[in-house]
Amino acid sequence: MPTFDFSAIEQCSNEELDARVDRARLPRHVAVIMDGNGRWAKARFMPRIAGHYEGMKSVREVVTGCREIGIQALTLYAFSQENWKRPSEEIGLLMKLMESYLQTELSLLLEQDIRFMTIGRTELLPKPVLEWIQKVETATRDCQTMILTVAVSYGGRGEIVDALRGIIEDYRDGKVTIHDIDEALVEQHLYTAALPELDLLIRTSGEARISNFLLWQIAYAELHLTKTLWPDFRRRELLVALLDYQTRERRFGGTTAPDLTGTSGA
Ligand code: IPE
Ligand code: IPE
Ligand code: MG
């Protein structure tokens, strides 16, 4: 297991960090809970929206960085089902920001061959945002290099409920029997059915909770929790997260320790 001396990280340049990321052992699918925009703005005596605006720059850098490094799938948590509880002014500004992100990023996504998709109850979004989402999803449909999924109006429990509904409809229509219901079938009904297994989940801003994100998919994901606020999470932080991931020994419930009897196979 290659190890990385994190105590020396301050002295490493971005280029050095980049060179240390083992391209052969990358997570296939990285997801990020992008948190801390409000606190970033508050620390600067700015309105919360200024933090969201700055956070968009991090989105751009992390999307481009993941694509360059060779990550197959990146999923970003942009707006949760519970975020509808926020003041309507903040929601309105976030929706405007999302619309302008989609407008300005479309050409960049096409240029970088990145497919865009959303997961969540997007039907609740304002019409102009929904129209832009559909436009960008359609325009990037055939892009192959990376898939960028943005979770908007998303809740992990809601996703599992929607999967249950889909399975029960298939049962009612005679397409599946009780015996067909297994983990693979549930996965086929999740919003993320087309994505590879989630390997790495990053949460910024020092919180250590999941906040209703990808509840099924995190089963064996490695977690990287950082105090860095999302607007400060740039390419360097991404490299650190990937290096941290590469120090982990993934056991999936098994063991890599030698067998106790010293013999192999009993
Ligand atoms: C994350 O930043 C962005 C969204 C949830 C939309 P926050 O807005 O939650 O920022 P904090 O957590 O209040 O600092
Ligand atoms: C999680 O952040 C949702 C997103 C990043 C979109 P929140 O700020 O909404 O989460 P809590 O309220 O701290 O759990
Ligand atoms: Mg927050």
Side-chain angles (χ1 to χ4, degrees):
M1 177 67 38
T3 50
F4 181 78
D5 181 9
F6 278 90
S7 65
I9 206 150
E10 298 295 327
Q11 284 92 55
C12 285
S13 67
N14 283 10
E15 290 68 30
E16 280 168 314
L17 293 180
D18 201 307
R20 281 175 181 268
V21 174
D22 181 352
R23 274 19 183 210
R25 293 176 52 247
L26 290 173
R28 286 157 296 179
H29 181 181
V30 177
V32 190
I33 303 176
M34 311 183 288
D35 198 14
N37 295 352
R39 278 163 280 172
W40 183 93
K42 193 174 177 216
R44 287 161 183 77
F45 306 101
M46 287 155 92
R48 291 176 59 81
I49 191 66
H52 297 315
Y53 184 80
E54 194 63 25
M56 284 295 183
K57 298 184 193 165
S58 300
V59 169
R60 193 167 296 135
E61 212 167 299
V62 168
V63 168
T64 306
C66 282
R67 187 241 178 235
E68 267 174 32
I69 292 161
I71 305 293
Q72 291 172 36
L74 171 68
T75 300
L76 301 176
Y77 201 9
F79 191 85
S80 72
Q81 215 174 284
E82 290 73 24
N83 288 148
W84 289 113
K85 290 188 275 194
R86 294 196 178 191
S88 58
E89 199 197 350
E90 181 174 349
I91 294 176
L93 289 167
L94 275 168
M95 294 298 150
K96 281 265 167 261
L97 203 57
M98 220 173 286
E99 203 184 320
S100 78
Y101 170 81
L102 290 164
Q103 285 183 33
T104 54
E105 296 309 283
L106 176 56
S107 58
L108 208 70
L109 293 172
L110 286 169
E111 213 174 277
Q112 298 186 89
D113 196 37
I114 299 172
R115 183 174 165 200
F116 174 86
M117 75 173 204
T118 52
I119 52 171
R121 303 245 168 104
T122 47
E123 65 277 9
L124 301 175
L125 297 170
K127 207 160 164 263
V129 181
L130 199 50
E131 281 172 0
W132 267 103
I133 285 176
Q134 281 156 358
K135 191 171 168 176
V136 178
E137 282 182 343
T138 308
T140 62
R141 204 175 30 201
D142 298 323
C143 295
Q144 303 265 335
T145 305
M146 187 177 84
I147 177 154
L148 166 65
T149 305
V150 178
V152 262
S153 188
Y154 172 90
R157 288 181 174 176
E159 178 182 23
I160 293 170
V161 169
D162 284 349
L164 277 176
R165 284 203 183 117
I167 292 169
I168 291 166
E169 274 166 19
D170 284 354
Y171 174 74
R172 186 196 56 200
D173 298 343
K175 291 185 195 153
V176 294
T177 69
I178 298 283
H179 302 289
D180 295 325
I181 302 174
D182 56 13
E183 292 182 12
L185 187 82
V186 174
E187 273 171 13
Q188 282 164 29
H189 282 84
L190 294 174
Y191 304 151
T192 52
L195 300 177
E197 185 81 16
L198 180 63
D199 289 322
L200 172 63
L201 174 68
I202 300 170
R203 182 166 187 149
T204 60
S205 89
E207 309 294 354
R209 57 175 168 261
I210 299 299
S211 300
N212 204 13
F213 192 40
L214 301 177
L215 296 181
W216 173 284
Q217 297 85 342
I218 57 169
Y220 269 103
E222 295 296 329
L223 308 181
H224 176 81
L225 306 175
T226 170
K227 285 197 169 63
T228 305
L229 302 173
W230 177 249
D232 293 325
F233 191 100
R234 298 290 161 96
R235 191 185 167 95
R236 183 177 176 88
E237 306 295 324
L238 173 67
L239 295 170
V240 171
L242 294 174
L243 286 166
D244 183 23
Y245 170 81
Q246 291 184 341
T247 63
R248 312 286 178 90
E249 186 193 349
R250 302 190 75 196
R251 289 192 286 265
F252 300 98
T255 176
T256 49
D259 114 24
L260 287 176
T261 60
T263 58
S264 60

